[in-house]
Structure formats: structure tokens, C-alpha cells
Amino acid sequence: MTRTPPLYLQIQQHLLEHILGGTWPAHHQIPPEEQLARDFGVSRMTANKAIRDLVQKGYLTRQPGLGTFVTDRKAESSLVEVYNIADEVRERGHHYSNRVLVCEAIEADDEVALRLGVRLGSRVFQSLLVHLEDETPIQLENRYVNPRWVPNYLTSDFSVHTPNEVLVAACPITDVEHIVEALLVDAQTAEWLDIETSTPCLSMSRRTWSGEQLISYARLLHPGNRYKLRSSVHRQAS
């Protein structure tokens, strides 16, 4: 016997059909809570929960005194979770692909040794990829991996599984560190990302652990006009 989904999920489904179907484009104002409550025969609290959840997921944004609007869904990632970029792109209904620029073993320099917690000159794995959404570059990923924990990393087929998927399969992530800054890139990086050198970029340095083991250090570069980073925190009212 099929169970009817909760009323707030029915409202979410209704809203998402309009958003993902394109009938409500970016910046479109959605019906207010009062109207949704009347249309679905629910309380305002239920309508509020449906909207609040979609705000937290990045589909909607609230503007105090004005209403709730459809978010401009340019590529985005969470700052508090580690998601597979290929899944993020596909969830937006777009085509994911990547270009592998480097995939090799190298000797760790000062920065890599410090960030990855290995000795200077130690053998580490490096992969350099451009991630694309509908053939447009949205991220340059420069990743260093400790071969002790992911020995088969360099033989992975990144056209099938992204570096994130390979790492998670080998060593489930338990802890993550993010450092974010804005910067301009050099000519070679701009060419890889298909941008001008004057285009502001978001840089995120990420280190990931599995239990007590430091597995990976990555530098992720995003064109600022194509990407955004999202963080949401929920606290219980006291």
C-alpha cells in the first residue's frame, strides 16, 4: 500500500516542479506562506517548513519585507559537507564531465608536505582536473593524496569516478577542514578555466581525514561568476 507523503513534502514537490521545470526562473517570487497554506489546506507552520527546507537546500532565498524568491542556481558547494561535484551538477539537471591534466606521482614540496603531514620529498600522488558543467569549466581541482592510504589512486578512471568518489570508496571521510579566500589566477589557470586573468576566483583549500589518518589535501579554484559556496547551521531553540 502506497503511503501519502507528508503535507510539507507535497508542498516542496509542488514548488520544485515549478523551479526545476523552469516555469519559475531565477529571482521569481513564489506564492507567500498564507496562500500555500490555503491552497494545500495546511497550517502556516507546515507551509513555512516546506519553504524553510528549500531555503536551506539552496533552491529559495528569503528577502525580509519582500518575500521568497527562486535562487540563481549557479554551481555551488557546501562548506560544511563534502559532496561529489558530479552529483551536484547532475542534481541541477546538467551534464557533468571533466578533463584530466595531470595524474602522476611526485615528490612533496614544502607546502604539500606540511599540508599532507608527510616528510619533505616523500612520494605522493597528484591529480589535476578541470570539472565542467554543460561543457563550461566550474572548478580546477589540484589534489594530493597519501599513497599509503589510497595505493590505487593513479590507476583510477576519473572519467567514471571523480577523485572524491575514489577517496570515499577507499577511506570514508570522517573530518574535513576548509579554508576559503578570494584571489586572481595566473594565465595558465585562466586558460584552463576559460576565464580572463581579471576574473575574481574563489579558492578553497580542503584537507580530509579518515579516522586518525590525513588522506588528502586539495586546492579547489572556482570562477567567482560561475560558482558559490553555501553554509547553513541549524541550532535548536533553547
Side-chain angles (χ1 to χ4, degrees):
M1 184 175 179
T2 303
R3 297 180 60 184
T4 302
L7 291 171
Y8 80 93
L9 287 180
Q10 294 180 38
I11 299 175
Q12 283 188 17
Q13 183 178 3
H14 168 76
L15 297 175
L16 285 173
E17 285 175 355
H18 286 286
I19 295 170
L20 300 179
T23 55
W24 290 353
H27 312 300
H28 176 88
Q29 184 174 10
I30 72 167
E33 289 177 11
E34 297 89 337
Q35 181 178 333
L36 290 171
R38 287 196 304 269
D39 291 347
F40 285 86
V42 300
S43 67
R44 279 192 61 182
M45 183 179 297
T46 300
N48 178 273
K49 175 173 174 52
I51 293 173
R52 186 175 69 246
D53 287 357
L54 292 183
V55 169
Q56 291 177 347
K57 293 176 181 177
Y59 290 99
L60 298 174
T61 182
R62 294 184 187 270
Q63 296 186 20
L66 296 176
T68 304
F69 299 82
V70 177
T71 302
D72 182 1
R73 295 278 291 171
K74 57 173 143 175
E76 69 173 43
S77 283
S78 171
L79 270 174
V80 294
E81 301 286 348
V82 177
Y83 295 118
N84 178 28
I85 191 170
D87 292 338
E88 291 180 338
V89 170
R90 292 171 185 136
E91 285 175 3
R92 292 191 286 271
H94 298 163
H95 174 70
Y96 168 80
S97 60
N98 64 52
R99 293 198 299 264
V100 179
L101 304 174
V102 173
C103 187
E104 63 184 9
I106 65 167
E107 292 184 357
D109 60 18
D110 288 339
E111 181 190 3
V112 173
L114 177 64
R115 299 294 186 183
L116 200 53
V118 298
R119 292 188 177 186
L120 181 66
S122 296
R123 181 173 179 267
V124 299
F125 295 154
Q126 180 191 15
S127 61
L128 181 65
L129 286 80
V130 179
H131 297 281
L132 302 100
E133 181 168 352
D134 288 342
E135 305 306 321
T136 298
I138 60 169
Q139 183 188 96
L140 178 67
E141 174 189 330
N142 190 10
R143 184 179 296 274
Y144 302 90
V145 176
N146 189 329
R148 179 178 179 184
W149 310 119
V150 195
N152 297 323
Y153 184 76
L154 294 183
T155 60
S156 303
D157 185 351
F158 294 135
S159 67
V160 178
H161 299 291
T162 64
N164 171 268
E165 289 179 293
V166 173
L167 293 177
V168 170
C171 303
I173 294 172
T174 58
D175 297 275
V176 60
E177 172 192 86
H178 284 143
I179 300 174
V180 179
E181 59 182 331
L183 49 74
L184 297 176
V185 298
D186 59 30
Q188 178 61 80
T189 301
E191 180 181 343
W192 285 331
L193 289 172
D194 193 21
I195 58 175
E196 300 294 331
T197 54
S198 58
T199 302
C201 289
L202 292 173
S203 172
M204 179 163 64
S205 297
R206 173 187 291 166
R207 294 199 295 173
T208 53
W209 285 260
S210 183
E212 298 297 320
Q213 311 305 330
L214 178 52
I215 306 299
S216 164
Y217 163 57
R219 295 195 294 260
L220 312 174
L221 275 173
H222 316 87
N225 59 343
R226 300 176 192 159
Y227 214 86
K228 60 184 177 182
L229 299 171
R230 172 175 51 84
S231 177
S232 61
V233 177
H234 175 70
R235 291 188 176 94
Q236 289 293 119
S238 56

